[in-house]
Amino acid sequence: MTTATLSPARVEDTRIGVAGTLRHIGALTRRNLMRIKADPESMFDAVLMPIIFTVLFVYVFGGAMMAGDPDRYKQYMIPGLMGQTGLTLAMAVGTGLNSDFQTGVMDRFRTLPIGRASVLLSKIMAEICRALVSFAIMIVFALCIGMEIKTGPLEVLAAIGLSLAFGMSIVWISMLLGMSLRSAQAVQGVSMLVLMPMQFGSSIFAPTDTMPGWLQSFTKVNPLSALADACRALFNGEGAVAHPVLIVLGWSIGITAVFAPLAVARFRKRT
């Protein structure tokens, strides 16, 4: 295909360098954050979800867990909840991306001389900001209800970074779903089918040794279990750290390597 047969936007796309792509990512990230500022209700899930989950599981189920010791359950469940929070926020990105296609926002991007990958990368950057807000709220609230951080700030930052790394790898799956399914409702439904088994078939909310054998086999390969174990060790200073961290990083790199090219290719096809 010659340059003469390409649209102006496609021609410019082939000439954009790294510096130009970074400028586009910055501008589009700012646009996404300004949309959140104009629609603060879109932050309700990031602000309220960690508080609601913490209250429900600590005070509703905490008394029945850990031999009736809710304080011990706080130390077990809340660090593991970081991975679940990042996963839930990540899967919501696909719904928003699907809505952008339905409302014609992507038609405007199609006419602009911008790198196609920058549109998706800016979604990830905005989602990182949302996730950081959510993690901060969850940690502050957890401290207010009596959870103790038995390590130092570096370990806490490591737990946040690990949760972000895994959550942002899941964003690529979410965006691929958002561009492949016809409606936002369908994206939501499929996302729930992915979320529920991963969340509850893991070590986030309960020790896996109480589960039946077939479910234990699933929890052992579930990356959320490794993420929960890693965050728990980083917050409490107990248990192995290196092994679950390496597992989570391996899953994060593998998921990104597979689904990022698929999502970018799908985006190029649709735009």
Side-chain angles (χ1 to χ4, degrees):
M1 181 181 292
T2 63
T3 302
T5 63
L6 292 171
S7 67
R10 294 289 185 178
V11 173
E12 292 294 332
D13 193 23
T14 62
R15 298 175 182 172
I16 295 171
V18 174
T21 299
L22 292 176
R23 286 197 303 272
H24 297 157
I25 292 172
L28 291 173
T29 300
R30 182 176 180 275
R31 169 192 173 274
N32 291 331
L33 294 177
M34 292 298 291
R35 288 183 65 187
I36 294 174
K37 181 180 178 181
D39 181 23
E41 290 87 354
S42 63
M43 282 294 292
F44 280 179
D45 58 340
V47 172
L48 296 178
M49 184 175 61
I51 296 175
I52 292 172
F53 267 93
T54 301
V55 170
L56 282 177
F57 280 92
V58 169
Y59 294 107
V60 176
F61 301 107
M65 301 294 292
M66 302 294 176
D69 186 352
D71 290 331
R72 184 181 166 206
Y73 188 60
K74 292 174 189 176
Q75 299 298 134
Y76 179 88
M77 189 276 294
I78 295 176
L81 194 61
M82 291 188 63
Q84 185 261 358
T85 300
L87 178 65
T88 304
L89 292 175
M91 291 304 291
V93 176
T95 305
L97 187 61
N98 185 278
S99 297
D100 285 344
F101 277 100
Q102 300 297 332
T103 56
V105 172
M106 293 303 170
D107 291 334
R108 295 181 60 189
F109 289 151
R110 186 183 301 141
T111 64
L112 298 176
I114 59 176
R116 295 299 179 257
S118 62
V119 177
L120 302 183
L121 290 173
S122 67
K123 290 277 186 184
I124 292 179
M125 296 303 296
E127 197 57 32
I128 287 175
C129 295
R130 275 175 26 97
L132 287 174
V133 171
S134 188
F135 291 150
I137 291 172
M138 185 180 70
I139 292 172
V140 171
F141 182 73
L143 293 173
C144 290
I145 64 173
M147 190 196 81
E148 298 180 20
I149 297 177
K150 299 179 180 180
T151 54
L154 290 180
E155 288 82 358
V156 173
L157 290 175
I160 292 173
L162 195 65
S163 299
L164 279 177
F166 183 72
M168 294 312 105
S169 70
I170 299 297
V171 168
W172 291 108
I173 299 177
S174 180
M175 290 193 294
L176 182 61
L177 290 174
M179 293 182 287
S180 301
L181 300 176
R182 293 187 178 183
S183 66
Q185 291 83 357
V187 178
Q188 258 184 335
V190 174
S191 296
M192 288 301 296
L193 292 176
V194 175
L195 284 173
M196 296 299 285
M198 288 189 68
Q199 289 174 347
F200 293 100
S202 72
S203 64
I204 292 177
F205 303 109
T208 59
D209 55 9
T210 62
M211 301 177 184
W214 61 268
L215 187 54
Q216 288 188 36
S217 300
F218 175 75
T219 61
K220 288 179 181 178
V221 298
N222 185 349
L224 270 187
S225 292
L227 179 55
D229 294 341
C231 290
R232 206 170 284 127
L234 288 167
F235 271 80
N236 297 328
E238 300 174 354
V241 176
H243 181 64
V245 166
L246 290 176
I247 291 176
V248 174
L249 291 177
W251 272 99
S252 302
I253 294 170
I255 291 171
T256 302
V258 172
F259 287 96
L262 293 176
V264 173
R266 181 63 181 173
F267 184 78
R268 289 179 180 272
K269 183 177 180 181
R270 289 203 61 171
T271 57

mmCIF file of all heavy atoms in Angstrom, residues 58-59 69-79 142 145-147:
data_model
loop_
_atom_site.group_PDB
_atom_site.id
_atom_site.type_symbol
_atom_site.label_atom_id
_atom_site.label_comp_id
_atom_site.label_asym_id
_atom_site.label_seq_id
_atom_site.Cartn_x
_atom_site.Cartn_y
_atom_site.Cartn_z
ATOM 1 N N VAL A 58 -14.572 -7.656 57.101
ATOM 2 C CA VAL A 58 -13.998 -7.627 58.451
ATOM 3 C C VAL A 58 -15.084 -7.793 59.511
ATOM 4 O O VAL A 58 -14.948 -8.581 60.453
ATOM 5 C CB VAL A 58 -13.210 -6.328 58.681
ATOM 6 C CG1 VAL A 58 -12.853 -6.169 60.157
ATOM 7 C CG2 VAL A 58 -11.942 -6.326 57.837
ATOM 8 N N TYR A 59 -16.193 -7.069 59.361
ATOM 9 C CA TYR A 59 -17.192 -7.043 60.429
ATOM 10 C C TYR A 59 -18.339 -8.034 60.228
ATOM 11 O O TYR A 59 -19.043 -8.347 61.187
ATOM 12 C CB TYR A 59 -17.739 -5.620 60.582
ATOM 13 C CG TYR A 59 -16.684 -4.670 61.071
ATOM 14 C CD1 TYR A 59 -16.116 -3.726 60.217
ATOM 15 C CD2 TYR A 59 -16.220 -4.725 62.378
ATOM 16 C CE1 TYR A 59 -15.132 -2.859 60.659
ATOM 17 C CE2 TYR A 59 -15.223 -3.864 62.830
ATOM 18 C CZ TYR A 59 -14.689 -2.933 61.972
ATOM 19 O OH TYR A 59 -13.698 -2.086 62.402
ATOM 20 N N ASP A 69 -11.208 -14.373 65.616
ATOM 21 C CA ASP A 69 -10.308 -13.262 65.943
ATOM 22 C C ASP A 69 -10.345 -12.237 64.811
ATOM 23 O O ASP A 69 -9.571 -12.328 63.855
ATOM 24 C CB ASP A 69 -8.886 -13.792 66.138
ATOM 25 C CG ASP A 69 -7.930 -12.712 66.635
ATOM 26 O OD1 ASP A 69 -8.345 -11.537 66.675
ATOM 27 O OD2 ASP A 69 -6.783 -13.046 66.979
ATOM 28 N N PRO A 70 -11.237 -11.230 64.883
ATOM 29 C CA PRO A 70 -11.357 -10.259 63.787
ATOM 30 C C PRO A 70 -10.094 -9.433 63.574
ATOM 31 O O PRO A 70 -9.805 -9.026 62.444
ATOM 32 C CB PRO A 70 -12.540 -9.382 64.214
ATOM 33 C CG PRO A 70 -12.667 -9.576 65.684
ATOM 34 C CD PRO A 70 -12.195 -10.969 65.963
ATOM 35 N N ASP A 71 -9.336 -9.163 64.648
ATOM 36 C CA ASP A 71 -8.106 -8.384 64.485
ATOM 37 C C ASP A 71 -7.081 -9.149 63.643
ATOM 38 O O ASP A 71 -6.393 -8.570 62.799
ATOM 39 C CB ASP A 71 -7.506 -8.050 65.853
ATOM 40 C CG ASP A 71 -8.348 -7.034 66.618
ATOM 41 O OD1 ASP A 71 -9.014 -6.221 65.958
ATOM 42 O OD2 ASP A 71 -8.343 -7.069 67.852
ATOM 43 N N ARG A 72 -6.997 -10.438 63.881
ATOM 44 C CA ARG A 72 -6.094 -11.263 63.074
ATOM 45 C C ARG A 72 -6.570 -11.332 61.624
ATOM 46 O O ARG A 72 -5.762 -11.346 60.701
ATOM 47 C CB ARG A 72 -6.027 -12.665 63.679
ATOM 48 C CG ARG A 72 -5.038 -13.591 62.990
ATOM 49 C CD ARG A 72 -5.048 -14.954 63.643
ATOM 50 N NE ARG A 72 -4.368 -15.943 62.826
ATOM 51 C CZ ARG A 72 -4.620 -17.234 62.866
ATOM 52 N NH1 ARG A 72 -5.544 -17.705 63.684
ATOM 53 N NH2 ARG A 72 -3.956 -18.078 62.100
ATOM 54 N N TYR A 73 -7.891 -11.340 61.446
ATOM 55 C CA TYR A 73 -8.443 -11.385 60.088
ATOM 56 C C TYR A 73 -8.149 -10.096 59.326
ATOM 57 O O TYR A 73 -7.942 -10.119 58.116
ATOM 58 C CB TYR A 73 -9.944 -11.643 60.142
ATOM 59 C CG TYR A 73 -10.559 -11.897 58.780
ATOM 60 C CD1 TYR A 73 -10.134 -12.962 57.989
ATOM 61 C CD2 TYR A 73 -11.552 -11.059 58.273
ATOM 62 C CE1 TYR A 73 -10.679 -13.193 56.742
ATOM 63 C CE2 TYR A 73 -12.118 -11.286 57.034
ATOM 64 C CZ TYR A 73 -11.675 -12.350 56.265
ATOM 65 O OH TYR A 73 -12.224 -12.578 55.019
ATOM 66 N N LYS A 74 -8.116 -8.960 60.037
ATOM 67 C CA LYS A 74 -7.759 -7.704 59.380
ATOM 68 C C LYS A 74 -6.361 -7.797 58.772
ATOM 69 O O LYS A 74 -6.131 -7.371 57.639
ATOM 70 C CB LYS A 74 -7.795 -6.551 60.385
ATOM 71 C CG LYS A 74 -9.172 -6.181 60.902
ATOM 72 C CD LYS A 74 -9.056 -5.139 61.994
ATOM 73 C CE LYS A 74 -10.382 -4.913 62.690
ATOM 74 N NZ LYS A 74 -10.264 -3.968 63.834
ATOM 75 N N GLN A 75 -5.439 -8.353 59.536
ATOM 76 C CA GLN A 75 -4.066 -8.476 59.050
ATOM 77 C C GLN A 75 -3.972 -9.453 57.877
ATOM 78 O O GLN A 75 -3.071 -9.340 57.048
ATOM 79 C CB GLN A 75 -3.154 -8.951 60.175
ATOM 80 C CG GLN A 75 -3.076 -8.022 61.375
ATOM 81 C CD GLN A 75 -2.502 -6.664 61.022
ATOM 82 O OE1 GLN A 75 -3.020 -5.636 61.411
ATOM 83 N NE2 GLN A 75 -1.407 -6.657 60.272
ATOM 84 N N TYR A 76 -4.905 -10.384 57.810
ATOM 85 C CA TYR A 76 -4.893 -11.377 56.728
ATOM 86 C C TYR A 76 -5.579 -10.841 55.480
ATOM 87 O O TYR A 76 -5.032 -10.915 54.372
ATOM 88 C CB TYR A 76 -5.595 -12.654 57.191
ATOM 89 C CG TYR A 76 -5.642 -13.732 56.123
ATOM 90 C CD1 TYR A 76 -4.603 -14.639 55.981
ATOM 91 C CD2 TYR A 76 -6.724 -13.826 55.245
ATOM 92 C CE1 TYR A 76 -4.637 -15.608 55.000
ATOM 93 C CE2 TYR A 76 -6.758 -14.791 54.255
ATOM 94 C CZ TYR A 76 -5.726 -15.683 54.144
ATOM 95 O OH TYR A 76 -5.752 -16.635 53.159
ATOM 96 N N MET A 77 -6.783 -10.321 55.651
ATOM 97 C CA MET A 77 -7.621 -10.012 54.497
ATOM 98 C C MET A 77 -7.292 -8.684 53.828
ATOM 99 O O MET A 77 -7.231 -8.592 52.602
ATOM 100 C CB MET A 77 -9.094 -10.039 54.923
ATOM 101 C CG MET A 77 -10.096 -9.951 53.766
ATOM 102 S SD MET A 77 -10.449 -8.271 53.191
ATOM 103 C CE MET A 77 -11.275 -7.582 54.626
ATOM 104 N N ILE A 78 -7.075 -7.622 54.621
ATOM 105 C CA ILE A 78 -6.949 -6.292 54.027
ATOM 106 C C ILE A 78 -5.751 -6.172 53.080
ATOM 107 O O ILE A 78 -5.896 -5.625 51.981
ATOM 108 C CB ILE A 78 -6.910 -5.218 55.127
ATOM 109 C CG1 ILE A 78 -8.256 -5.189 55.859
ATOM 110 C CG2 ILE A 78 -6.607 -3.843 54.527
ATOM 111 C CD1 ILE A 78 -8.301 -4.224 57.032
ATOM 112 N N PRO A 79 -4.552 -6.668 53.422
ATOM 113 C CA PRO A 79 -3.473 -6.602 52.422
ATOM 114 C C PRO A 79 -3.808 -7.359 51.144
ATOM 115 O O PRO A 79 -3.497 -6.896 50.041
ATOM 116 C CB PRO A 79 -2.286 -7.243 53.159
ATOM 117 C CG PRO A 79 -2.576 -7.040 54.593
ATOM 118 C CD PRO A 79 -4.062 -7.182 54.720
ATOM 119 N N ALA A 142 -8.021 1.280 56.602
ATOM 120 C CA ALA A 142 -7.601 0.078 57.328
ATOM 121 C C ALA A 142 -6.861 0.454 58.613
ATOM 122 O O ALA A 142 -7.062 -0.166 59.665
ATOM 123 C CB ALA A 142 -6.716 -0.786 56.445
ATOM 124 N N ILE A 145 -9.288 1.499 61.350
ATOM 125 C CA ILE A 145 -10.070 0.456 62.028
ATOM 126 C C ILE A 145 -9.169 -0.550 62.749
ATOM 127 O O ILE A 145 -9.649 -1.574 63.231
ATOM 128 C CB ILE A 145 -10.996 -0.280 61.043
ATOM 129 C CG1 ILE A 145 -10.192 -1.034 59.971
ATOM 130 C CG2 ILE A 145 -11.990 0.671 60.409
ATOM 131 C CD1 ILE A 145 -11.047 -1.917 59.078
ATOM 132 N N GLY A 146 -7.883 -0.268 62.810
ATOM 133 C CA GLY A 146 -7.024 -1.066 63.661
ATOM 134 C C GLY A 146 -6.031 -1.990 62.997
ATOM 135 O O GLY A 146 -5.308 -2.706 63.692
ATOM 136 N N MET A 147 -5.934 -1.998 61.677
ATOM 137 C CA MET A 147 -4.906 -2.816 61.041
ATOM 138 C C MET A 147 -3.534 -2.208 61.296
ATOM 139 O O MET A 147 -3.383 -0.984 61.332
ATOM 140 C CB MET A 147 -5.150 -2.926 59.533
ATOM 141 C CG MET A 147 -4.250 -3.950 58.862
ATOM 142 S SD MET A 147 -4.169 -3.800 57.064
ATOM 143 C CE MET A 147 -2.976 -2.473 56.869
#
